[in-house]
Amino acid sequence: MVITLRQLEYFETVAEHGTVTAAAQHLFMSQSAVSNAIADLERQLGVKLFVRHARGLSLTREGQAVLGRSRHLLREAADLEANAAKLRDDMSGPLNIGCYSTIAPLLIPRIVADFAERYPDVRVRFEEGSRSELLQGMTLGAHDVIVLYDYRFKDDLSEIGHSTQLGSIPPYALLPPGHRLAGRGVVALADLAADPFILFGLEPADQYFLSLFASEGLSPDVRHRTGNYEVLRGLVARGVGYSLLTQRTRQTTSYEGIAYSAAELDGEYAPLGVVAVIPSRHRMTRKLDAFVTSARAVFDEAPAYDRG
C-alpha cells in the first residue's frame, strides 16, 4: 500500500470545502482526478472517509480520525521541504570534492583559498584520484562533487550524476631539451611517433593519448608508462623520451629543475572538456553553485601555458 501526499492533500481539501466540485476548483484539478484520488485513498486505507448526501460530503468518524493524521503528515512534509530549502541555501558545513589527479594542482589550491576567504563556515575537503576511484567514491557517497575530464569514449557520467562544463584543455607535447624539434613551438605527431614515447598511464588518460596517434594512423614507441606526471616531466627533461599531456605548469622544468621544451600539436585535436559531476540524488545547493562558479573562473582566467 502506497499513500501519496497528493492523495492526502486532495482529501484535506475535500473535507474543508465539502464537495468535490469546490475542492477541484480550489486545486485547479478536474473533478474526476479528485474523485479518483479519494476513492483510491479509501481503498488503500480500507475505510469509508465520507458520507455522500445531496448537499455534498461529510466526514465519517473514521474520516475525522484520518483527517487529523493527514494534517499532521502534511505539516511534517511542509516542514521537511522548508528545512531542505534551508539546507540548500546554507553556506556552512562540509563540501567534499573529488578531483582527478592531474587537474587537482591547478584547481584545488584556488578553490580552498577562495572558500576560506569568502565562505569561512564551509569546510572544504578534497581527495585526488583516478577516474575510476572518483566514480566509485561518488557511488559510495564520499563526494558531493567530482571534477574530471569528459572523455568522448566514456559515456557513463550521465548514469551517476549531472555534468556541468567547467572548461576545456587541449593536449600538447613535452620534448627533451636536446630534441631535434625542441623550440619549434608546433610539432606533428607523425614527426614524433618513431621516437621513444613516455605514456601518461593514469586511466583513462592512456587511452586518450593513444587515440591521438590512432586518429593519424600512427603507433607510438611506448618505452615507459607512469601515472605520476612529475615523474613523466623528469623523464622527458632527462632526455629519456617525449610525451603528451594536457595540464601544464607555469615553468617548463622538471621536479629537479631541469628544463624541457613544450610544443603545441599540429592538427585538429579537440580540447578535453573538464566537468563537475554532481550525484543524481543531490540538488544544486548554494555551496555547489559557488564551487562551480569558482572552478569555472580557474579555467577562464588561466593563461595559455596553464591550460595547454
Side-chain angles (χ1 to χ4, degrees), residues 132-180:
S132 60
E133 290 170 339
L134 295 177
L135 295 179
Q136 182 180 23
M138 175 163 280
T139 301
L140 296 175
H143 309 308
D144 298 317
V145 58
I146 59 175
V147 177
L148 67 172
Y149 290 115
D150 186 13
Y151 293 103
R152 294 187 175 184
F153 52 84
K154 294 285 188 178
D155 59 358
D156 52 353
L157 294 185
S158 61
E159 298 174 5
I160 65 164
H162 311 290
S163 297
T164 301
Q165 184 86 10
L166 300 179
S168 59
I169 307 177
Y172 72 103
L174 293 77
L175 307 174
H179 195 277
R180 66 187 183 281

Side-chain angles (χ1 to χ4, degrees), residues 199-221:
L199 177 63
F200 183 67
L202 189 65
E203 61 85 23
D206 50 355
Q207 299 177 53
Y208 168 70
F209 290 121
L210 291 175
S211 74
L212 300 182
F213 290 96
S215 68
E216 302 288 340
L218 303 169
S219 297
D221 181 11

Side-chain angles (χ1 to χ4, degrees), residues 8 11 45 47-49 59-73:
L8 297 180
F11 166 58
L45 293 175
V47 298
K48 195 172 184 61
L49 299 173
L59 288 167
T60 63
R61 185 180 61 180
E62 293 83 3
Q64 291 174 352
V66 171
L67 180 61
R69 291 293 299 158
S70 174
R71 285 172 170 164
H72 175 75
L73 290 172

Side-chain angles (χ1 to χ4, degrees), residues 83-97 111-124 144 283-295:
N83 288 333
K86 288 174 62 178
L87 290 174
R88 291 196 296 271
D89 293 335
D90 189 18
M91 291 302 291
S92 64
L95 174 62
N96 300 304
I97 304 168
I111 294 295
V112 172
D114 277 1
F115 271 74
E117 179 180 353
R118 301 171 60 191
Y119 314 110
D121 293 330
V122 177
R123 300 189 303 278
V124 177
D144 298 317
R283 291 190 180 185
M284 178 63 81
T285 64
R286 278 189 66 202
K287 282 187 289 189
L288 290 173
D289 185 66
F291 168 79
V292 169
T293 299
S294 186

